Amino acid sequence: MTQSIEQLSATRSHGGWVKRFSHRSQVLDCDMTFGIFLPPQAETGPVPVLWWLSGLTCNDENFMQKAGAQKMAARLGMAIVCPDTSPRGTDLPGEHDSYDFGSGAGFYLNARQEPWNKHYHMYDYVADELPALVREHFPISAREAISGHSMGGHGALVCALKQPGRYASVSAFSPVVNPMDCPWGEKAFSRYLGDDRAEWSDWDACELVLAGASKQAMLIDQGENDQFLEEQLKPDHLEKACHIQGVSLKLRRHEGYDHSYFFVASFIDDHLEYHARHLFADHA
């Protein structure tokens, strides 16, 4: 049975289309929006897709409007789908009180604690429900890759590590790699998941690597002038975990760059080309 979607906007871009849709999410029990870039090649057949997960305070529009990814994606023949970052319109107690928890801060996990466990199942949404919906309505092939920024970088890494072999490639910009050991993660995990830190490890990239969840290679770009680098992001923790487990990690550090979308836009073409090499590898 086809699930219904409603088109909110459509804008021509580099021969393709940037479109925005709303739909009712059964997993999140609320109405959601998502953005999609369809390259010109999608008019003649299925194309591979890059899932992009955005960070704290963002929604489905930030990447589409700020990253400047459409030109390269159009040249490569790659669709890009941008989910929202958290459930919307639920108005739970305290949901809108802070930027790093609740609205815009779903952390791409499945909440276990009340009242969050009724709606905050962002992992199931981005890993299962939304992909199924997108493939019902758009010419998207089975080939997929995943990437994200900050909290979304955390989500991308976790999605790939928890599903070995699913994504052709994974990358991230300024990801929260060890949320169990940073203020953002500790706040979110304690409220969404409860006090049992053993359950937190299922949603922590460093812990998943150390547990041998996957050997998939990772590409990460990190700005050296990122204001969150030392307290929240801690890429050296993932570097150490990957070294211990023999996982290939390409961690590129960039002098002078911060946490903003100016940083993402500066290197997004590199990431798109990286993913294209994996997405189209079987067709070379």
Side-chain angles (χ1 to χ4, degrees):
M1 181 177 178
T2 300
Q3 302 177 63
S4 63
I5 60 175
E6 178 184 357
Q7 183 171 296
L8 302 177
S9 64
T11 306
R12 199 74 166 152
S13 178
H14 295 285
W17 289 95
V18 173
K19 298 185 177 184
R20 192 173 186 234
F21 293 87
S22 67
H23 73 104
R24 182 71 184 181
S25 168
Q26 300 302 313
V27 167
L28 305 178
D29 192 22
C30 66
D31 292 333
M32 293 293 285
T33 58
F34 67 91
I36 184 169
F37 173 69
L38 292 166
Q41 295 86 340
E43 296 179 7
T44 58
V47 295
V49 61
L50 173 68
W51 305 99
W52 174 271
L53 307 184
S54 291
L56 289 168
T57 75
C58 292
N59 59 30
D60 60 286
E61 294 187 289
N62 293 77
F63 179 86
M64 288 295 187
Q65 295 180 358
K66 296 180 178 181
Q70 290 87 353
K71 184 175 182 179
M72 179 61 73
R75 183 175 75 80
L76 296 170
M78 179 191 306
I80 304 175
V81 177
C82 300
D84 204 343
T85 53
S86 63
R88 301 291 178 174
T90 58
D91 294 325
L92 299 172
E95 187 176 23
H96 313 306
D97 290 353
S98 58
Y99 80 96
D100 55 356
F101 181 78
S103 297
F107 269 86
Y108 304 102
L109 50 71
N110 291 333
R112 297 175 60 87
Q113 296 295 299
E114 295 184 352
W116 315 104
N117 58 356
K118 182 180 180 182
H119 301 286
Y120 278 69
H121 294 158
M122 286 299 297
Y123 177 80
D124 285 348
Y125 178 69
V126 302
D128 297 318
E129 185 181 33
L130 185 60
L133 180 73
V134 167
R135 288 193 170 92
E136 280 187 8
H137 291 275
F138 305 100
I140 301 300
S141 75
R143 299 287 289 173
E144 56 188 333
I146 193 165
S147 187
H149 173 234
S150 193
M151 177 188 72
H154 143 76
L157 296 176
V158 167
C159 281
L161 289 167
K162 288 173 75 70
Q163 302 171 89
R166 171 173 175 176
Y167 301 99
S169 49
V170 57
S171 73
F173 289 83
S174 316
V176 183
V177 301
N178 195 187
M180 291 181 65
D181 189 27
C182 76
W184 282 343
E186 290 173 347
K187 179 178 180 177
F189 283 17
S190 62
R191 298 185 186 187
Y192 291 139
L193 301 173
D195 295 329
D196 185 358
R197 293 180 67 91
E199 294 188 5
W200 297 12
S201 61
D202 287 339
W203 308 102
D204 185 297
C206 286
E207 293 299 315
L208 288 168
V209 168
L210 289 171
S214 172
K215 294 290 188 181
Q216 185 164 23
M218 293 174 267
L219 168 65
I220 291 176
D221 276 346
Q222 175 62 60
E224 290 287 84
N225 277 31
D226 192 317
Q227 64 269 41
F228 304 113
L229 178 58
E230 299 301 327
E231 184 179 29
Q232 306 284 6
L233 307 180
K234 305 182 179 183
D236 53 305
H237 289 200
L238 183 61
E239 196 170 34
K240 181 179 179 180
C242 287
H243 177 74
I244 291 172
Q245 289 290 66
V247 174
S248 176
L249 170 64
K250 187 173 185 179
L251 174 59
R252 308 194 306 181
R253 301 175 183 268
H254 301 276
E255 184 179 354
Y257 286 90
D258 61 16
H259 197 72
S260 70
Y261 262 90
F262 292 110
F263 172 51
V264 174
S266 297
F267 299 100
I268 190 61
D269 284 359
D270 289 355
H271 283 242
L272 295 178
E273 290 179 323
Y274 172 79
H275 291 298
R277 286 195 295 272
H278 292 82
L279 288 167
F280 293 104
D282 293 344
H283 309 289

